[in-house]
Amino acid sequence: MTSQEPSRIGGYDILETLGKGAMGQVYKAVQPSLNRIVALKVLPPELASDPERVERFDREAQAIALLNHPNVVNIIDRGHDADRFFFVMEYVAGTSLSAVLSARRLSLPETITVFKMICRGLQAAHRKGIVHRDLNPRNVLVSDDLGVVKLADFGISRVESISLRVGTLSTAEVSMGTMHYMAPEQAVDMGAVDQRADIYSAGVVLYEMLTGRVPVGRFSLPSQLNTEAPSALDPIVLRCLATDPADRYPSVDQLLTSVSALENDLRFGVVQDLRGLSRSTSKILRRSTQKFWTGRSPRRRAALAAAGAVIAVAVLLGVWLSTRSRTNAPATTEDPVNEYPLIESPLAGGPFGETPAVGADTAQLEPDQQTVGVPATANGTPAPAPTPGVAKPRPATPIAPAAKPATTPATTTASAAAPGPAPARPKVDNTLASDTLPSDLKVARDKLEAGLIGPALEDLGKLIADHPTSPLLLDAYLLVALGHEREGRLEEAKAALVEIRSRFASDPRTAEAIFRLAELTVASKVSGKEQLARDLFWQVPDSFPNSEWAPRALVKKAGLESDRKLVVRDETLGIPVPALLVTHRRLADEYPTDAAAEGALWALGEMYADLKRYDLAVEAYTKLAEQFPNTKLDAWWEAGQIYDRRLDDAPKASEAFGQVPSTSKNYSAAQKRLKRIGG
């Protein structure tokens, strides 16, 4: 233990630090009265003066206290020592599931066992009205033998029955390290999620246990990456990962039922194989040993015993081979579950929407597609320029059809709401060309949607060569980029988008190309890709301020800044601030009617309050309440709190508390404040 760490808190002797988080530090400690090891979570002293942080800390303690279940960490005590708030939990000897997965891949039986215990912990929480909202392998504690599995860290849980204020932690705290595990709707409105968000997160954890990867961008079925995983497990995983909550399991109970049924089927299959082998062996044994039984020679009896031993070994070997063939058989074209080798993650959106996020797996995709020369134009002269990144036609890779238009989270932050589904593609204007180009483009687009990517790219290459001056050329390049992107050839896709940016610099549709180029940059392996992507996202509102892609680009930029916790000097305030603040401010100022402005204003209010710029914080909350009168975010309550406690402005506080709607969780508290103030 370092000299900076306390030696004793609330009667508990500190042994060592187990971990740190945004909402507290966890120590391994001794409870002297019972001489046992415990885990002590302590709110940092610098946060103890913030009543909202204390309330959130207390909410976690109360959430755990509501649960008494073998798959949830139990709470033992709660207290206050000088300037430190703390609560005490049972100590789980072992490590996190994240540490286990970083060291090795779990076997199929281990995976199913651990996953069922995770689900039982969620089941207990959901029955008490608690939604975890931060389920990921770091928050799952396991013993060394995996016999003990417990859910932990309910710091951002939603607890309907105990929370005075159903809110969330700050943007940075929510998104830190959990981006790939959050349900799509959770990134849009953190406060509106239900238990199906936990089911999505559980699906990500299950996929990671099976494959060692998280399902980001275009991802393969678990049975394709892990030969031990049966194909019957794929539909269970995919249902958990459905973009639309309505398409997921409605409850953990039903998820557990599906997993248990699969487990029973696998066991039954092994038993049947064993019975079949036993029957075959019995027949062979009867035929081949009948003469031995009729004789009384010791030599014959010895030979019979040896034959029996050999047959017993053969039976055991047959059972083992049967089990291996059941779970390790490679996917075949007859397998209906493997009809679509690659699945689009909910974070990848629809055909013209979001692209694979950071970490998209491309290792399994085919390497280095050669570009081909562009055919001559109709009059026999060479085409003016080769088509960037148009690959040779090859057998098409089927693509999983998008189930529904995804309401894709446009950011990893919980406070920045996505501005809705991806904007519709520009309609082809049939007046722009007298030839068949519009209909040819439609055919190429239809081929892409049908998974015929090679033929589609071949058609598009010819169209681009034959119509070098058509205004519809931009649409052709967008489709070329989409085709390459669908097959994981990100560099070829980026080349097509760069061509658009260079050739059609003033066309409004170029905003989409720059937006997609930024996203592909994030997913690439280019050095300094985050900064390049941020610059590209910033370029969209700079060059195309009236484009529907502009606010989307700012939301995406904010997500990158939140992940990296970037700090910049703000010329407006004259101090270093989170880069996220500058981006959110531009989003709120320049696009006040966009849906994303709602989350941006809420985030601004929190960040300004953290900077003690209470005048700006209350301004942000007031704008939020006025511009989005139906918001579920308790902006009037927050404004009243600041006027009352920070700015000592009783009239303004009274006015704000009076605006708190009756549907708010804080309505009763606001009415009490009004009486106290005299409003």
Side-chain angles (χ1 to χ4, degrees):
M1 185 172 64
T2 65
S3 58
Q4 289 79 17
E5 294 174 345
S7 60
R8 190 176 178 84
I9 297 177
Y12 295 88
D13 296 326
I14 306 301
L15 298 179
E16 61 179 298
T17 300
L18 295 177
K20 289 184 178 181
M23 284 300 293
Q25 186 158 337
V26 181
Y27 298 101
K28 182 179 180 181
V30 175
Q31 184 181 13
S33 60
L34 295 176
N35 193 29
R36 66 175 172 180
I37 302 296
V38 296
L40 195 73
K41 186 163 186 176
V42 182
L43 185 69
E46 61 270 18
L47 300 180
S49 60
D50 187 337
E52 292 186 14
R53 299 297 181 114
V54 174
E55 192 273 335
R56 290 167 181 164
F57 189 75
D58 286 343
R59 183 166 72 239
E60 178 178 6
Q62 293 178 61
I64 300 175
L66 282 175
L67 304 173
N68 182 15
H69 192 273
N71 297 124
V72 178
V73 173
N74 291 321
I75 192 166
I76 297 169
D77 191 12
R78 175 184 174 194
H80 179 221
D81 183 358
D83 59 346
R84 291 186 175 93
F85 292 86
F86 67 89
F87 61 85
V88 186
M89 301 172 290
E90 65 173 316
Y91 174 74
V92 180
T95 184
S96 69
L97 179 59
S98 176
V100 174
L101 294 178
S102 66
R104 68 181 180 92
R105 178 185 292 178
L106 303 184
S107 67
L108 180 61
E110 287 175 329
T111 296
I112 292 178
T113 299
V114 171
F115 185 68
K116 287 174 68 176
M117 286 191 277
I118 291 173
C119 288
R120 291 189 186 110
L122 286 178
Q123 189 180 48
H126 292 173
R127 288 175 179 175
K128 293 289 187 179
I130 299 171
V131 181
H132 192 289
R133 300 200 297 184
D134 195 20
L135 178 64
N136 64 76
R138 291 185 297 108
N139 293 336
V140 178
L141 305 181
V142 297
S143 60
D144 293 335
D145 63 356
L146 302 181
V148 176
V149 177
K150 291 180 179 284
L151 302 188
D153 201 348
F154 285 75
I156 63 171
S157 61
R158 180 188 179 99
V159 190
E160 295 288 355
S161 57
I162 64 174
S163 180
L164 296 176
R165 169 181 176 273
V166 179
T168 66
L169 302 184
S170 70
T171 298
E173 292 165 349
V174 169
S175 62
M176 183 173 57
T178 60
M179 175 180 68
H180 298 314
Y181 301 91
M182 288 169 53
E185 69 273 15
Q186 186 171 337
V188 177
D189 186 351
M190 187 73 168
V193 300
D194 58 21
Q195 62 189 26
R196 292 171 296 180
D198 284 347
I199 291 173
Y200 179 92
S201 301
V204 179
V205 173
L206 176 58
Y207 187 94
E208 186 173 6
M209 286 194 290
L210 290 168
T211 69
R213 310 174 185 179
V214 291
V216 179
R218 297 174 72 234
F219 62 89
S220 297
L221 296 170
S223 63
Q224 293 173 305
L225 298 178
N226 181 357
T227 55
E228 189 182 1
S231 59
L233 192 53
D234 294 334
I236 295 176
V237 176
L238 295 180
R239 187 172 179 186
C240 291
L241 296 177
T243 302
D244 189 337
D247 293 333
R248 297 177 205 145
Y249 287 97
S251 68
V252 179
D253 298 28
Q254 293 192 22
L255 172 57
L256 267 172
T257 299
S258 294
V259 174
S260 298
L262 171 66
E263 187 178 28
N264 290 335
D265 288 344
L266 294 176
R267 289 173 180 168
F268 179 76
V270 171
V271 171
Q272 290 298 97
D273 289 340
L274 179 58
R275 288 175 178 172
L277 287 168
S278 298
R279 286 193 294 269
S280 300
T281 305
S282 298
K283 292 178 181 178
I284 296 172
L285 186 62
R286 284 195 299 270
R287 287 196 301 267
S288 61
T289 62
Q290 187 175 9
K291 292 182 179 179
F292 283 93
W293 289 116
T294 58
R296 297 180 180 179
S297 168
R299 182 178 300 176
R300 289 183 176 181
R301 285 197 292 268
L304 175 60
V310 171
I311 292 172
V313 171
V315 169
L316 293 175
L317 180 61
V319 171
W320 181 82
L321 290 174
S322 174
T323 304
R324 293 292 295 175
S325 65
R326 180 179 303 278
T327 58
N328 290 0
T332 64
T333 54
E334 283 96 30
D335 187 350
V337 178
N338 292 327
E339 181 181 357
Y340 304 111
L342 294 177
I343 307 299
E344 291 287 353
S345 163
L347 295 178
F352 297 102
E354 309 292 7
T355 53
V358 181
D361 171 43
T362 57
Q364 62 198 323
L365 301 176
E366 297 187 25
D368 300 335
Q369 298 300 311
Q370 301 294 325
T371 59
V372 297
V374 179
T377 57
N379 59 11
T381 60
T387 305
V390 177
K392 290 180 180 179
R394 60 175 187 161
T397 302
I399 298 176
K404 293 185 179 181
T407 306
T408 305
T411 178
T412 58
T413 67
S415 58
R425 290 278 297 157
K427 300 295 184 182
V428 173
D429 185 352
N430 290 316
T431 64
L432 294 178
S434 57
D435 52 25
T436 61
L437 181 57
S439 60
D440 291 342
L441 276 176
K442 183 180 184 304
V443 170
R445 184 181 294 118
D446 290 343
K447 286 182 179 180
L448 282 178
E449 293 309 307
L452 303 174
I453 298 178
L457 290 175
E458 183 180 13
D459 291 350
L460 290 167
K462 188 174 187 306
L463 290 177
I464 290 172
D466 290 346
H467 306 275
T469 60
S470 171
L472 297 182
L473 203 61
L474 189 151
D475 291 272
Y477 278 115
L478 281 174
L479 291 175
V480 168
L482 176 63
H484 288 309
E485 184 183 327
R486 287 276 181 98
E487 293 208 316
R489 297 196 296 270
L490 302 188
E491 295 306 312
E492 289 90 338
K494 287 165 62 179
L497 296 172
V498 168
E499 191 78 14
I500 294 174
R501 190 176 64 165
S502 301
R503 289 195 181 197
F504 307 95
S506 60
D507 193 305
R509 293 172 293 170
T510 300
E512 178 187 355
I514 299 175
F515 180 93
R516 290 171 57 188
L517 179 60
E519 289 201 311
L520 291 179
T521 300
V522 173
S524 69
K525 299 180 180 179
V526 178
S527 176
K529 60 184 181 182
E530 285 84 5
Q531 181 60 51
L532 291 172
R534 288 175 62 227
D535 291 343
L536 286 168
F537 281 132
W538 197 254
Q539 183 183 341
V540 176
D542 274 352
S543 301
F544 305 95
N546 298 322
S547 169
E548 54 197 342
W549 292 93
R552 292 174 63 84
L554 291 174
V555 170
K556 281 289 188 179
K557 181 174 181 288
L560 291 175
E561 292 163 343
S562 174
D563 290 343
R564 295 293 178 179
K565 298 179 178 58
L566 299 176
V567 176
V568 298
R569 179 174 178 79
D570 182 15
E571 298 303 324
T572 302
L573 300 180
I575 58 172
V577 300
L580 187 67
L581 184 149
V582 178
T583 305
H584 276 322
R585 186 172 60 208
R586 180 174 185 182
L587 178 58
D589 289 347
E590 296 184 14
Y591 305 95
T593 61
D594 191 273
E598 180 182 5
L601 287 167
W602 180 262
L604 283 172
E606 288 188 320
M607 287 187 283
Y608 282 138
D610 289 342
L611 294 171
K612 302 189 185 306
R613 287 301 305 268
Y614 300 115
D615 55 331
L616 297 175
V618 78
E619 179 183 343
Y621 287 130
T622 302
K623 282 184 179 179
L624 169 58
E626 292 175 346
Q627 292 173 196
F628 299 91
N630 296 322
T631 182
K632 295 179 181 179
L633 302 171
D634 224 342
W636 282 123
W637 168 257
E638 295 296 334
Q641 290 265 74
I642 294 175
Y643 279 129
D644 184 25
R645 296 182 174 181
R646 304 297 185 184
L647 300 179
D648 196 23
D649 189 333
K652 291 280 184 69
S654 179
E655 180 182 352
F657 285 134
Q659 296 281 355
V660 175
S662 59
T663 55
S664 167
K665 295 281 185 180
N666 296 300
Y667 177 73
S668 297
Q671 294 302 308
K672 291 179 181 178
R673 293 285 185 89
L674 278 173
K675 291 179 181 178
R676 178 178 61 79
I677 296 172

